[in-house]
Amino acid sequence: MERYDTIVVGAGVSGLAAARLLHREGRHVMVLEARDRIGGRVWTQREGGTVTDLGASWIHGVAGCTVAAAAGAFGMRMHEFTVGSYQVDGRPIAYFSTQGERLGDDAAAAFAADVRAVDAALAEAIADSGALDSYRDVTERALAAQGWDCERVSRVREFLEHRTEEQYGAWIEDLAAHGLDDDAVEGDEVVFPDGYDRLPAALAAGLDVRLGHVVTRVEWASDGVRVHVGDGSLLVAATAVVTVPVGVLRSGDLEFSPTLPEPVAGALSRLEMNAFEKVVLRFPTRFWGEGAYAIRQQGPEGRWWHSWYDLTDLHGTPTLLTFAAGPAAREISGWRPDRVAASVMAQLRRLYGADVPEPSRVDVTDWQSDPFARGAYAYMVPGSTTGDHDALATPVGGVLHLAGEATWTDDPATVPAALLSGHRAASRVLGREVAIERLWTA
């Protein structure tokens, strides 16, 4: 039986980053990936001459971002699209009223000012929140402090609900009060015209990656780890880095023996996997016009479909991206793409008229039904703390390390978090700090 220095479970960005750094330090590394592709929740589809990122899309702020540095070094083209973190303004946004009429510039600016006023009060409400408070609790306190009429409060309340859903794929009452503490963008946001999967492809170069290997059990002890694969094979290593999502860790499909100890187990129990799906619609014409990064409608008609993002400039094909998040995502799980499209189009025709054409192509994700993801990314439930992310990555027995977006406190639920957590895991395996730039430099 061949023995490895390190076995990495999962060939997403986190696992590939850890493996690449260890490999470059001369370690004998094997990467086991359950899927028939690398990338994990970074997944680019190329069909019919189109490039569609069905998983991660954005870098939410390129200033000081390691993923931006890596992407630049790997020659990945980037396109500025600073609206992905649900900003209320900053870039042109076409707002529509509850009646479906386009808001003028003054009305849109007044609404944005209201959101900013509540956000200022929200910072204090979060700081004063209790351990079991939800994001709904603190936003309601911030709204009550304004003294506004019901209509004005309703518009900002629904914006905060939608922001919660689009940022974390969770209903506002299910998210911890501190669940959006990391909601900050430093510098422009960018997307990738040639596909985000160029990043994991570059990270995987030269590595021993075994696809179609479903890990079912990880045994750990002071002298190393034994990794069981679904085909009956057994691999042995001195250390292991496990990078599967929180949804898989909580599912029981991957067994740890002994079970994960504290503080890892406690942190895992306070993180949930979300429901967050993409709907990408391509059209024969750009019927919504030019000049706006996004389209948003206010009011109850926007309970599910409230925001659309114009991706036309990426490839020249008229394209809108919208999200089903939280309750909406759970409701449409299992729907055929044409049924999803019909639901979305009903709202677009409400805003732009009955003659809006049918989409020429529709792509709908279903991450929540993916057995190797069980959701898009993790979020904090009431009772959790921001420190739970880092606690999840506490080394186990000196031989087992967990990594992935959910294990990084400063910016969880992002590709940078995945990359940085892989770097941390590699450094811990080596017992010394290794420069993260080793990922993209010779």
Side-chain angles (χ1 to χ4, degrees), residues 83-368:
V83 74
S85 53
Y86 213 73
Q87 293 97 332
V88 68
D89 57 7
R91 296 296 192 274
I93 297 174
Y95 279 102
F96 286 80
S97 71
T98 58
Q99 292 76 36
E101 299 171 349
R102 177 77 179 263
L103 293 186
D105 291 345
D106 290 345
F111 170 69
D114 283 352
V115 172
R116 295 194 187 286
V118 172
D119 275 343
L122 185 57
E124 182 176 352
I126 292 172
D128 294 339
S129 63
L132 297 179
D133 279 345
S134 71
Y135 202 66
R136 169 74 86 189
D137 295 327
V138 292
T139 56
E140 286 300 311
R141 291 166 198 158
L143 284 165
Q146 307 307 313
W148 294 336
D149 62 65
C150 290
E151 175 66 17
R152 197 172 175 185
V153 167
S154 292
R155 298 290 73 79
V156 178
R157 176 185 287 122
E158 71 188 13
F159 179 89
L160 297 172
E161 291 172 349
H162 296 331
R163 184 172 68 184
T164 303
E165 290 171 324
E166 283 216 359
Q167 290 297 83
Y168 274 95
W171 180 236
I172 194 168
E173 288 156 13
D174 297 329
L175 184 69
H178 287 272
L180 283 175
D181 280 2
D182 64 297
D183 186 27
V185 173
E186 300 293 338
D188 287 342
E189 295 180 296
V190 299
V191 292
F192 298 94
D194 301 320
Y196 217 145
D197 68 344
R198 304 287 191 191
L199 177 63
L203 293 174
L207 297 179
D208 186 356
V209 180
R210 307 291 176 92
L211 301 178
H213 282 58
V214 181
V215 174
T216 58
R217 179 181 173 91
V218 176
E219 300 172 354
W220 57 275
S222 59
D223 60 346
V225 296
R226 295 162 58 88
V227 178
H228 296 258
V229 183
D231 63 4
S233 59
L234 173 65
L235 302 172
V236 177
T239 56
V241 178
V242 176
T243 69
V244 301
V246 159
V248 177
L249 290 174
R250 293 194 52 155
S251 71
D253 289 348
L254 173 57
E255 181 184 358
F256 292 91
S257 180
T259 58
L260 294 172
E262 293 294 342
V264 178
L268 181 61
S269 72
R270 293 184 291 273
L271 296 171
E272 291 276 0
M273 210 64 174
N274 69 4
F276 186 79
E277 308 298 348
K278 285 184 166 185
V279 182
V280 182
L281 307 103
R282 291 181 170 83
F283 296 93
T285 63
R286 200 179 193 176
F287 62 83
W288 57 92
E290 301 181 12
Y293 279 50
I295 303 158
R296 291 198 182 132
Q297 71 165 330
Q298 300 177 327
E301 288 284 348
R303 177 57 269 161
W304 277 18
W305 314 112
H306 49 80
S307 300
W308 295 265
Y309 300 91
D310 186 355
L311 302 183
T312 304
D313 290 345
L314 266 68
H315 308 110
T317 301
T319 304
L320 291 176
L321 163 67
T322 190
F323 298 106
R330 298 192 189 283
E331 183 66 25
I332 71 164
S333 181
W335 284 19
R336 290 170 53 88
D338 58 349
R339 184 181 178 189
V340 177
S343 179
V344 175
M345 293 306 298
Q347 295 305 320
L348 285 172
R349 290 186 173 118
R350 174 177 180 265
L351 305 181
Y352 289 100
D355 59 347
V356 165
E358 286 292 315
S360 55
R361 179 186 176 92
V362 180
D363 292 290
V364 183
T365 65
D366 194 6
W367 288 103
Q368 57 196 307

Side-chain angles (χ1 to χ4, degrees), residues 367-379:
W367 288 103
Q368 57 196 307
S369 297
D370 182 337
F372 306 127
R374 298 181 177 267
Y377 43 87
Y379 67 93

